[in-house]
Amino acid sequence: MKYENIEYNECEEVYPPAEDTFLLIDNLEVYENEDVLEIGAGTGIVSIAASFIAENVTCVDINQHAIKCTEANVKLNNRENITVIHSDLFENITEKYDLIIFNTPYLPVTEEEHDDDDYSKAWDGGIDGRQIIDKFLEQAHNYIKSNGRIQIVQSSLSDNEKTLNYLNTNGFEAKISASEHQFFEDITLITAKKIE
């Protein structure tokens, strides 16, 4: 498969690139000489897109199937500035980055609908869609450089205002920088610049 100049293969048990993935790729704010961290790499195509501009890209995923999928797609695109790490959010991260990107698991899922498999971790955001988003927001500021940025994808179903309010009252200047209406929701990209 191909998206713009990126070749990729989808993999079993890994969230395939979809509208939210492409919204993030199309609106990446990455610059030369920057260090980028992607949380939840999936197939790795967002990291691959960032690697064509950034100095270095580190990508992590909690799903071991995604780690293997990303490694295969990185090799397919001959990218040598991408490091792939198995990690639950920032669990195995020690560095700070200019840009942190995350296509969050944002869909509200009831306990009856919850499935504990690897694939579901890419989209299951818990009962209000914010279980992982809130955990990410609480930790992200420890891993971002001065004047760094965060770009996260979520949905109108997972309370965009709560994310914006959290960031705007915790040292960032945040806004919805892109959105796309899909069926029953607006998929949004929130971009936040660190100002403290």
Side-chain angles (χ1 to χ4, degrees):
M1 305 184 86
K2 194 163 186 175
Y3 186 72
E4 297 181 348
N5 61 334
I6 303 166
E7 292 185 60
Y8 68 96
N9 291 309
E10 297 180 352
C11 308
E12 288 188 28
E13 299 296 319
V14 178
Y15 181 76
E19 295 82 6
D20 48 6
T21 314
F22 304 131
L23 182 71
L24 180 54
I25 290 174
D26 293 345
N27 294 282
L28 275 175
E29 288 189 17
V30 60
Y31 303 105
E32 291 181 7
N33 303 317
E34 287 195 329
D35 295 316
V36 175
L37 172 65
E38 182 187 14
I39 304 290
T43 60
I45 74 165
V46 178
S47 285
I48 292 167
S51 77
F52 286 108
I53 301 170
E55 180 81 17
N56 295 295
V57 178
T58 300
C59 57
V60 306
D61 205 297
I62 192 173
N63 178 352
Q64 288 284 10
H65 300 284
I67 295 296
K68 291 177 184 171
C69 191
T70 293
E71 288 174 339
N73 284 325
V74 166
K75 187 174 181 181
L76 181 64
N77 286 274
N78 299 311
R79 306 310 303 157
E80 296 183 356
N81 61 341
I82 300 176
T83 302
V84 184
I85 298 173
H86 180 250
S87 181
D88 179 2
L89 294 176
F90 300 97
E91 180 181 53
N92 296 319
I93 296 299
T94 57
E95 303 295 321
K96 292 191 174 191
Y97 297 85
D98 300 291
L99 174 65
I100 300 174
I101 51 181
F102 188 17
N103 185 0
T104 67
Y106 53 72
L107 287 179
V109 174
T110 65
E111 289 199 23
E112 293 77 27
E113 296 168 325
H114 173 75
D115 196 346
D116 203 26
D117 61 17
D118 284 336
Y119 179 75
S120 300
K121 291 173 182 168
W123 51 267
D124 183 343
I127 199 155
D128 62 356
R130 296 199 57 87
Q131 184 176 0
I132 305 303
I133 293 171
D134 289 340
K135 192 174 171 185
F136 169 84
L137 291 173
E138 290 168 9
Q139 299 175 25
H141 65 90
N142 295 320
Y143 300 93
I144 193 159
K145 295 178 182 177
S146 298
N147 301 313
R149 301 169 316 284
I150 292 171
Q151 290 193 286
I152 63 172
V153 176
Q154 64 173 82
S155 160
S156 54
L157 300 175
S158 51
D159 197 346
N160 290 320
E161 284 304 313
K162 186 172 182 182
T163 300
L164 290 168
N165 288 337
Y166 181 90
L167 289 165
N168 284 324
T169 57
N170 285 280
F172 290 86
E173 189 175 275
K175 65 179 180 180
I176 294 175
S177 54
S179 67
E180 184 172 319
H181 184 72
Q182 292 287 327
F183 306 108
F184 49 85
E185 63 181 332
D186 288 330
I187 299 169
T188 56
L189 175 64
I190 293 176
T191 299
K193 297 179 182 178
K194 191 172 183 181
I195 56 174
E196 294 178 2

